[in-house]
Amino acid sequence: MEAAYCALCKRGYADLRMQDIADESDRSTAALHYHFDTKHDLLVAFLEYLLDRLQSRLDAAAVDDPVERVHRFLDVMFSPPRGDPVDAREDFHTAILEIRAQAPYDEAYRERLAAFDHYNRSVLQEAFEEGVEAGAFDPSLDQEDTATFVVNAIRGAHTSQASLGQSPRAIERVLRAYVESLRTDARGELADPASATDVEGEGSG
Amino acid sequence: MEAAYCALCKRGYADLRMQDIADESDRSTAALHYHFDTKHDLLVAFLEYLLDRLQSRLDAAAVDDPVERVHRFLDVMFSPPRGDPVDAREDFHTAILEIRAQAPYDEAYRERLAAFDHYNRSVLQEAFEEGVEAGAFDPSLDQEDTATFVVNAIRGAHTSQASLGQSPRAIERVLRAYVESLRTDARGELADPASATDVEGEGSG
């Protein structure tokens, strides 16, 4: 799976061959074909591996405080996993964008991408729900819609990073300020965007 | 160009042939080839046509009041052009997503998509700048970052509509409430999301 990751970053999706993945690993293409009939099967398994990895990272980043948990979620979405080179992220998002563009025609891809989407939205929705309950987030907040909104803003950022080479930093900055503006104690004055990137330990529940 | 639009909605990008476009028009493929050497050339011209059309729609929707102008921008982004069937929108976004996924490898596509992105961001940034100047939007608003953020949230919505079949309505709702929350008169109380979709004539500049 790590070999698939490296091969996708280097070759992209359309041109990827089983040979490229074998070249990045210590296995032969025959060994790969023993487990996966086609490149498509391997990539479906790769998407499942990515979701597992994301779940592990989000579990490791989770904290009790719901506001801080949303910021940790953004940390995970906007930074590469430990050990991955930052340079590879744009190439990786390019490959994922290619798979995403195939999803309307490919039910197996679509199901796995929908599982990602569902998982991300549920993590955020739960944090918003707990935050509202604890009095940390504004009670009028639509928790489900807001979770969907945040996930899609991140998706837009990754899409622009891949297709236009744009940095996602502006979007990350505004998202963090947005999350701060949803806090109960942001009522009466808008959150200061400058402080929004450093909220460690600002529990308000 | 209208024939290209119909053909893209029906066939998608990867399977599109010049013949499909000819079939939707009253021209022969020979006539199409007289103007465009390849499908690629035709689609580059098609992207330019789309940008022209978008610019006309945004010009027609523009109003003096900057807050209302942002909402009109969202109207254009979230509703099909007059005469286009609503059903075709998901198919159309699917074709655009395929072209977007090619952009990292195709400079001509990338340049045209970057022109869209630049135009959309500049329309919004100008509205935010004028709104801040007129006292309608919060003076601490980062106008450039916020414009980038809104454009990318819309991009995420269209990407999810195409790749996962998700409705963009939740994202539109939250975006409108977000725009309302940036208004000067939203200080002290959060904007009521229920009223955010009906701001006709609420000039505050």
Side-chain angles (χ1 to χ4, degrees), chain A residues 117 145 152 155 160 166 173, chain B residues 117 145 152 155 160 166:
Chain A
D117 181 73
D145 278 6
N152 276 277
R155 185 161 301 143
S160 298
Q166 282 179 0
R173 277 196 297 274
Chain B
D117 180 73
D145 278 6
N152 276 277
R155 186 161 300 145
S160 298
Q166 282 180 0

Side-chain angles (χ1 to χ4, degrees), chain A residues 140-179:
Chain A
S140 71
L141 188 68
D142 186 315
Q143 296 121 30
E144 184 178 353
D145 278 6
T146 306
T148 299
F149 173 68
V150 172
V151 165
N152 276 277
I154 295 165
R155 185 161 301 143
H158 290 160
T159 299
S160 298
Q161 187 176 13
S163 62
L164 303 172
Q166 282 179 0
S167 163
R169 288 300 153 228
I171 299 150
E172 180 180 359
R173 277 196 297 274
V174 179
L175 265 177
R176 291 190 189 275
Y178 172 67
V179 170

Side-chain angles (χ1 to χ4, degrees), chain B residues 18-203:
Chain B
M18 291 291 252
Q19 182 65 55
D20 298 315
I21 300 169
D23 288 349
E24 298 288 335
S25 73
D26 54 0
R27 310 290 174 87
S28 64
T29 52
L32 292 184
H33 278 294
Y34 178 80
H35 294 289
F36 307 104
D37 278 346
T38 62
K39 174 177 112 172
H40 179 266
D41 290 349
L42 191 150
L43 289 175
V44 167
F46 178 68
L47 290 175
E48 290 168 356
Y49 158 81
L50 284 182
L51 181 55
D52 275 352
R53 192 168 76 157
L54 177 69
Q55 287 173 336
S56 301
R57 290 181 73 203
L58 287 174
D59 283 348
V63 289
D64 283 342
D65 178 66
V67 179
E68 171 65 5
R69 207 187 315 150
V70 174
H71 282 291
R72 296 281 184 99
F73 178 89
L74 297 177
D75 290 345
V76 170
M77 291 295 141
F78 286 108
S79 60
R82 193 191 302 268
D84 285 11
V86 176
D87 293 351
R89 291 305 279 173
E90 191 173 316
D91 294 331
F92 178 65
H93 287 306
T94 298
I96 292 293
L97 182 59
E98 288 179 88
I99 294 175
R100 197 176 284 290
Q102 292 304 307
Y105 310 103
D106 188 311
E107 196 180 339
Y109 288 162
R110 193 164 66 248
E111 272 178 15
R112 271 66 179 191
L113 292 175
F116 262 92
D117 180 73
H118 182 265
Y119 184 76
N120 285 335
R121 286 191 288 124
S122 66
V123 166
L124 278 179
Q125 186 175 336
E126 193 178 289
F128 287 132
E129 281 167 359
E130 286 180 30
V132 166
E133 208 162 307
F137 281 124
D138 191 88
S140 71
L141 187 67
D142 186 316
Q143 296 120 32
E144 185 178 351
D145 278 6
T146 306
T148 299
F149 174 69
V150 171
V151 165
N152 276 277
I154 296 166
R155 186 161 300 145
H158 289 160
T159 300
S160 298
Q161 186 176 13
S163 63
L164 302 173
Q166 282 180 0
S167 163
R169 290 297 152 230
I171 298 150
E172 180 181 358
R173 277 195 297 274
V174 179
L175 265 178
R176 291 189 188 274
Y178 171 67
V179 170
E180 290 298 296
S181 79
L182 301 176
R183 294 172 68 147
T184 317
D185 50 15
R187 280 172 169 247
E189 60 179 288
L190 287 172
D192 175 9
S195 70
T197 50
D198 180 27
V199 294
E200 294 267 333
E202 276 194 328

Side-chain angles (χ1 to χ4, degrees), chain A residues 54 57-58 61-63 67-81 89 154 158 169 172 175-176 196-200:
Chain A
L54 178 70
R57 290 183 73 203
L58 286 175
V63 289
V67 180
E68 172 65 4
R69 205 187 314 149
V70 174
H71 282 290
R72 297 282 186 99
F73 178 88
L74 297 178
D75 290 345
V76 169
M77 292 295 140
F78 285 108
S79 59
R89 290 305 278 175
I154 295 165
H158 290 160
R169 288 300 153 228
E172 180 180 359
L175 265 177
R176 291 190 189 275
T197 51
D198 179 27
V199 294
E200 293 268 332

